[in-house]
Amino acid sequence: MKKLSMFLMLIIFITSLSPIAESIPRQVDPATISEDSNVPDLLNAYSTISNSIGSLDFSSAEQNLTYILQSSFPSTYMYIFQRGNELLSNILDSLNLTKLMISNATVLIQNNRFSDADNLLGQALFTLANANATYIQLLELYSSLPISSSRVTNTFNGIGSAINLLFEKILTLKEEIENRQNLIPTKISINVSPLNVNWGEKVSIQGSLTEESGNPLSDREVLIHIGAKIYTIYTNSSGQYNLDEKITSYQPCVQIYSEFIPSGNDKYIYAYSSSQIYNVTVSYIVPEVSITLNSTYVTPGSTIELDVKSNYILEFNLTSNLWNLTFTNEKESRILLEVPATAKEGIYNLIVNSLPNGELAPTSWSTNLTVYKESLQLNISIPKQIFSGKTYEIRINSTIPFDIYVVASPGINATVQGNSIILRIPLSYINSKVVVNIIVDPENPSYKEVYLEESIPSYNSLAIFSTLAGAFAVAIPLARSTSSVRKAENKKEKAEESSSGTNLRNKGIVGEFFEALEMISKVKMEGWMTLREYLSAIKERIDEKTYLLVEELIFKIEKVIYGGVKYTQLKEEVSIKVKALIELLRKKK
């Protein structure tokens, strides 16, 4: 009868292998479409999933399928791939369930629960048959792609291998059930006393192992479970066993039972058996412990207070990612905990355990500790613009001492001097901006580092002079031809008052400078105007770069006129700059 039922089971499974037709909507005839470039890559990915399934690694297969679902599928074959993903997901679910049922059936067989195991294997076989039917649908579906049937079969052959492997496992277990159903039943008894003990007291365990008929089984291994502990002992010649053992568990109730698990040749002769379960009540002392922390929000480098009170002298362990220490509490103590200066911001779990000591049970206390850093307040002075060939300073101030680290744009010499960053801009620097990356690292670990990126507009001085020279190339000759009388007067005044510096704006080569400005700005330098009034009048009439250069020169002229003897040397600098422009104009002619 058993062979007949096995034969019928095989017929049902093989029948499930027959193809199941499915209507697949097609936008175009696949035979007329060339292979899409994305299809081979997708099939390679599916092959990876199939290989994982073939090795029964269903978790990796599911993870890889998740990645594929995020892929872009060819629009022409969108339905095929979407439907294929559904079928593949169903196959994975069925195979995973089959594997789980096989594992559970194996445990049932080990416990001689053959009927339950046989029923579970029947369910596993049915689930596997569904997986196989879905697998056939999957092959037919992907055969609709413009690729060879052998390519499709090779891509998914891992699924077929998994189905065959699980089917073989089911048959093997069913065969084991058939072989082991004639095992000789066994009986294991147990007696435990006393059933109420203080911690550390012994319990006496006695029992026997026999065939169901009463024949003793001598020299057999018996497992005795006392709470979470397992002890291995052997029966004597009369099938008896006994064990005296201290109860050292800090659980209020401990379960005690024994079991016989046939091994070696016995597993083909005798059946598994287990005894009844005894519950033993255990008495012990739970210390009264009070733990408080004065603060759960701390900064690196700070110190917090852990107050511990207990009604017994106890040893404690304190563990976290910040500390790991042991201390003895004399009923009341205060532990000072310094937060490491290197501690990063975040939440840390702090656990304090009292260690067991005989009948004194362990205790545990925990809390979360938040480490944070204060924001560093800075006062930063940064140049509004930068000209090539000059040196600039970025000054940083704070009430908290700090170190500075700086990296500037390529070609810029950036150095730190105290609380300042010195930027030396080469005359050849032509970029439109200078980028300065600054790290302000406070010496106090309670404060956060500050990361700054400053972008400062940059102007090339040579380019500005060249632009101005281009404008002056037209303006200066015209000014000379129309103002010869005025220039003569300027020369005369320069000879008379060369050392005084007064009224410099109307003298010599500087006079030519103002005449040129009048020509390009169309604004005349009136006698009643101050230098700054004139500068304001021409601001909107010349380009920005030219204006900035003019502004610098006029401010220097102003210093020469009104600044007294200490600025006399600027007269030479102003003259040199204007002469340089005139010389440049002469070379361009």
Side-chain angles (χ1 to χ4, degrees):
M1 180 64 69
K2 291 179 179 177
K3 290 185 177 179
L4 177 60
S5 64
M6 183 71 73
F7 176 74
L8 291 175
M9 181 180 65
L10 288 172
I11 292 296
I12 293 172
F13 186 81
I14 293 173
T15 303
S16 71
L17 298 177
S18 58
I20 299 176
E22 183 180 47
S23 176
I24 302 172
R26 295 186 176 90
Q27 296 175 335
V28 293
D29 182 0
T32 63
I33 302 175
S34 61
E35 183 172 341
D36 193 290
S37 60
N38 287 330
V39 171
D41 292 337
L42 288 169
L43 289 181
N44 288 336
Y46 284 117
S47 181
T48 300
I49 294 176
S50 175
N51 291 336
S52 296
I53 294 174
S55 59
L56 304 186
D57 184 4
F58 300 136
S59 59
S60 294
E62 289 172 350
Q63 186 177 18
N64 288 329
L65 180 59
T66 301
Y67 295 148
I68 282 188
L69 293 176
Q70 300 171 0
S71 301
S72 176
F73 299 103
S75 58
T76 306
Y77 312 119
M78 183 67 72
Y79 171 80
I80 293 176
F81 283 105
Q82 288 180 343
R83 177 59 180 153
N85 290 335
E86 292 176 6
L87 294 176
L88 190 53
S89 180
N90 292 338
I91 290 171
L92 274 169
D93 290 342
S94 296
L95 294 180
N96 214 355
L97 180 57
T98 302
K99 182 182 176 182
L100 178 61
M101 288 190 288
I102 290 173
S103 177
N104 291 338
T106 302
V107 175
L108 291 173
I109 292 172
Q110 291 174 350
N111 294 333
N112 295 336
R113 295 172 57 184
F114 302 121
S115 178
D116 292 338
D118 192 51
N119 290 335
L120 190 57
L121 290 174
Q123 296 175 37
L125 186 64
F126 181 77
T127 304
L128 189 61
N130 285 336
N132 190 71
T134 308
Y135 173 50
I136 293 172
Q137 293 182 54
L138 184 74
L139 294 179
E140 288 191 343
L141 178 69
Y142 281 102
S143 294
S144 304
L145 293 172
I147 55 176
S148 65
S149 59
S150 61
R151 175 68 188 276
V152 174
T153 302
N154 290 335
T155 297
F156 297 103
N157 60 6
I159 299 175
S161 299
I163 292 173
N164 290 334
L165 182 58
L166 293 174
F167 183 60
E168 290 294 332
K169 287 179 178 289
I170 292 173
L171 293 184
T172 300
L173 290 177
K174 279 190 165 289
E175 193 174 314
E176 183 176 352
I177 291 173
E178 186 175 357
N179 293 334
R180 294 185 61 183
Q181 280 182 330
N182 296 322
L183 296 176
I184 299 173
T186 63
K187 180 180 179 181
I188 186 168
S189 65
I190 190 171
N191 183 56
V192 179
S193 65
L195 296 181
N196 293 280
V197 297
N198 293 322
W199 185 95
E201 292 180 345
K202 288 184 178 181
V203 293
S204 179
I205 303 169
Q206 296 92 27
S208 64
L209 176 64
T210 64
E211 295 178 1
E212 192 175 47
S213 61
N215 294 325
L217 293 176
S218 63
D219 198 29
R220 294 310 198 278
E221 184 179 87
V222 172
L223 300 180
I224 298 179
H225 297 259
I226 303 177
K229 296 180 179 180
I230 300 176
Y231 299 85
T232 301
I233 61 174
Y234 289 85
T235 59
N236 59 22
S237 59
S238 300
Q240 303 291 322
Y241 67 88
N242 62 79
L243 175 68
D244 292 333
E245 188 64 28
K246 288 182 179 180
I247 301 299
T248 56
S249 171
Y250 293 102
Q251 297 295 326
C253 181
V254 174
Q255 290 188 336
I256 299 178
Y257 67 96
S258 60
E259 62 179 344
F260 170 58
I261 302 176
S263 60
N265 291 332
D266 275 357
K267 68 180 182 180
Y268 302 107
I269 302 173
Y270 296 104
Y272 166 88
S273 61
S274 63
S275 72
Q276 72 177 99
I277 298 174
Y278 281 87
N279 292 316
V280 176
T281 301
V282 183
S283 298
Y284 50 85
I285 299 173
V286 179
E288 296 178 7
V289 177
S290 172
I291 299 177
T292 57
L293 199 62
N294 71 325
S295 177
T296 56
Y297 289 86
V298 297
T299 57
S302 64
T303 299
I304 55 176
E305 299 173 355
L306 182 76
D307 289 325
V308 182
K309 297 180 181 179
S310 63
N311 58 341
Y312 290 92
I313 298 176
L314 299 173
E315 189 174 5
F316 287 85
N317 272 343
L318 184 153
T319 57
S320 75
N321 288 336
L322 299 175
W323 307 282
N324 192 345
L325 57 94
T326 300
F327 62 92
T328 300
N329 178 51
E330 300 288 345
K331 294 190 176 182
E332 185 172 346
S333 60
R334 171 169 291 177
I335 308 299
L336 299 180
L337 301 173
E338 183 178 350
V339 182
T342 56
K344 296 182 179 179
E345 290 185 292
I347 298 176
Y348 296 83
N349 186 235
L350 181 66
I351 301 173
V352 180
N353 293 323
S354 69
L355 302 183
N357 185 10
E359 63 180 348
L360 293 177
T363 63
S364 183
W365 175 89
S366 67
T367 189
N368 286 331
L369 192 68
T370 300
V371 176
Y372 71 98
K373 292 186 177 184
E374 302 279 1
S375 296
L376 185 64
Q377 301 300 317
L378 299 176
N379 183 14
I380 305 176
S381 175
I382 300 174
K384 293 182 179 179
Q385 67 266 329
I386 284 177
F387 293 93
S388 65
K390 300 189 69 177
T391 299
Y392 295 88
E393 178 184 14
I394 297 176
R395 186 157 186 82
I396 304 174
N397 291 310
S398 175
T399 57
I400 306 299
F402 57 85
D403 294 322
I404 301 175
Y405 304 92
V406 61
V407 176
S409 298
I412 303 300
N413 183 357
T415 57
V416 177
Q417 295 182 7
N419 288 356
S420 296
I421 298 172
I422 307 301
L423 300 177
R424 293 177 175 82
I425 317 300
L427 189 61
S428 59
Y429 190 76
I430 61 173
N431 290 345
S432 61
K433 62 182 179 180
V434 171
V435 178
V436 185
N437 292 288
I438 306 168
I439 299 177
V440 181
D441 184 17
E443 294 181 5
N444 188 334
S446 298
Y447 289 85
K448 298 178 183 178
E449 286 184 338
V450 179
Y451 299 88
L452 303 171
E453 180 176 292
E454 301 294 341
S455 182
I456 309 171
S458 173
Y459 304 98
N460 182 266
S461 300
L462 292 177
I464 294 174
F465 274 109
S466 297
T467 302
L468 187 59
F472 284 177
V474 176
I476 290 178
L478 184 59
R480 285 177 174 174
S481 63
T482 57
S483 306
S484 58
V485 174
R486 184 175 179 180
K487 287 191 290 182
E489 292 175 354
N490 285 340
K491 291 179 181 180
K492 181 178 179 181
E493 291 175 358
K494 181 180 179 181
E496 294 174 353
E497 302 181 26
S498 59
S499 61
S500 66
T502 59
N503 210 17
L504 185 60
R505 64 189 184 194
N506 294 321
K507 291 182 172 61
I509 197 164
V510 177
E512 292 183 11
F513 168 69
F514 281 103
E515 290 170 2
L517 283 175
E518 290 174 10
M519 297 303 298
I520 63 175
S521 67
K522 308 301 182 184
V523 177
K524 184 177 180 181
M525 178 66 175
E526 301 292 349
W528 51 268
M529 284 184 173
T530 65
L531 293 176
R532 297 204 179 194
E533 286 175 338
Y534 182 68
L535 188 63
S536 177
I538 68 172
K539 183 174 183 179
E540 303 300 328
R541 295 179 175 270
I542 59 178
D543 63 88
E544 181 181 2
K545 292 184 177 180
T546 303
Y547 174 79
L548 290 173
L549 183 60
V550 170
E551 181 184 49
E552 182 182 5
L553 289 175
I554 285 181
F555 283 170
K556 289 183 178 181
I557 292 172
E558 193 176 52
K559 288 180 180 180
V560 172
I561 296 175
Y562 303 110
V565 178
K566 65 179 179 178
Y567 291 110
T568 303
Q569 72 276 9
L570 288 181
K571 290 176 59 179
E572 183 178 355
E573 180 182 344
V574 171
S575 298
I576 291 173
K577 285 189 176 181
V578 177
K579 285 180 180 179
L581 288 175
I582 296 174
E583 184 65 27
L584 181 61
L585 293 176
R586 289 174 178 171
K587 289 181 179 180
K588 285 189 174 183
K589 285 186 176 183

